[in-house]
Amino acid sequence: MKSQSKKYLSVIPDGFTITLDLAQIGYPKNYAILIEVGRKSEDYKLSYAFGKLHIPHPDLILEDRTINIANGKNSVALEFNNTGLYNLNVKAELLNKQHLSDDLSINFTQGNQFNLINGEGALPVDIVANADYKQKYLAVPLNLSYSVIGKMDFKNSNFNNSLTQEHMYNKILYLNFNLIEKDRLLNFGEIPSQYIAVFLGAIFSFFIPSITRVTMEYIQKRTANKHLKNILKEQNSEYPDSSIKNLINKLKFLKQDFIRGKITKDQYEILKENIADVIKDLVSKKTDNNTPKDKT
């Protein structure tokens, strides 16, 4: 056998050039190219892997990089989008976490992986700033590694096998945290205990009953308006007999709602008058319809 020296391909610093006739594939908005990575010599060829490169380059954008936080627990959702040409599987990683203050923690509440489907996706984050955390502004780098989800770009190719991999893309964004101090009208630590007791007593004796009263008035007004709407609906009915029966039954329900406190006495009296007026109109309409017309 003739001995041949093995000549390996050298790494090309400037990458490679691909010439593609887009007319042959119908000028698509996006497409993928399959790249074979390996070594080659005169007597053998070793393929290392097949990778997919997508054109245009899949990209993602963070809607708002500025996050306002306060001392305590802050729950936010980082909202991402992209061009919508690709569905993406994204993995997020905070960089330089070791430089964060011990009084601040940033955690991905549902894991650090999420998907962008139809151009949209969100990453829930919890930021906990202890009471001693005082740093006003903080920029934290966020590394995003992502790939295109589940597209069989080469379904008719023999290259769709375990060696075929989606190309991983990377992007670094900076999250800007702004600490917003809460204005406290009262510092309970500086108020004597006897005054706190008076303050709490005022809350339970005035504010809570006031809120309860306003809520009840709203419910009563809404119930009365609902009854009135149903009463007036019967006024234009084409079947007076049926509507009159419905209104008589409505009187029973009105009385029950009044007894239970769902409507006030004034609302009850006004609704009864409305029912009486509508019944008069229906009886008059029924009489007019039954009266024979004179022939001329």
Side-chain angles (χ1 to χ4, degrees), residues 245-278:
K245 292 180 180 178
N246 292 339
L247 291 171
I248 293 174
N249 290 329
K250 175 69 69 176
L251 281 171
K252 300 178 182 178
F253 291 109
L254 283 179
K255 187 175 182 180
Q256 293 178 0
D257 283 351
F258 169 58
I259 294 173
R260 295 173 182 174
K262 292 185 177 181
I263 58 176
T264 65
K265 182 178 180 180
D266 290 340
Q267 291 168 340
Y268 176 53
E269 296 296 335
I270 292 172
L271 289 171
K272 284 200 304 181
E273 292 177 4
N274 279 275
I275 289 177
D277 292 340
V278 173

Side-chain angles (χ1 to χ4, degrees), residues 94-198:
L94 290 174
L95 303 179
N96 300 333
K97 288 187 66 174
Q98 67 274 15
H99 299 306
L100 294 179
S101 168
D102 293 336
D103 296 321
L104 180 72
S105 64
I106 305 172
N107 300 299
F108 303 118
T109 55
Q110 297 181 12
N112 65 336
Q113 295 193 27
F114 63 101
N115 294 332
L116 266 75
I117 305 297
N118 296 326
E120 297 181 350
L123 177 63
V125 181
D126 275 354
I127 305 102
V128 180
N130 294 343
D132 295 331
Y133 183 75
K134 301 299 182 183
Q135 187 171 348
K136 292 285 189 180
Y137 307 104
L138 177 67
V140 179
L142 177 68
N143 181 68
L144 301 169
S145 56
Y146 54 98
S147 62
V148 177
I149 296 177
K151 290 190 65 174
M152 296 294 288
D153 302 298
F154 303 95
K155 59 183 178 182
N156 296 324
S157 170
N158 294 328
F159 294 138
N160 256 332
N161 52 39
S162 59
L163 295 178
T164 306
Q165 298 179 1
E166 294 287 352
H167 182 73
M168 294 297 298
Y169 302 89
N170 285 279
K171 185 172 186 177
I172 294 179
L173 300 174
Y174 283 87
L175 302 178
N176 301 312
F177 296 96
N178 295 334
L179 180 65
I180 307 298
E181 293 185 357
K182 293 182 178 179
D183 295 329
R184 293 191 300 174
L185 298 178
L186 294 176
N187 186 349
F188 286 96
E190 301 175 355
I191 301 177
S193 58
Q194 62 268 27
Y195 291 109
I196 293 180
V198 173

Side-chain angles (χ1 to χ4, degrees), residues 281-295:
D281 290 342
L282 291 172
V283 171
S284 177
K285 183 187 298 185
K286 178 181 176 183
T287 303
D288 292 342
N289 291 337
N290 293 333
T291 302
K293 297 181 180 179
D294 295 334
K295 295 183 179 180

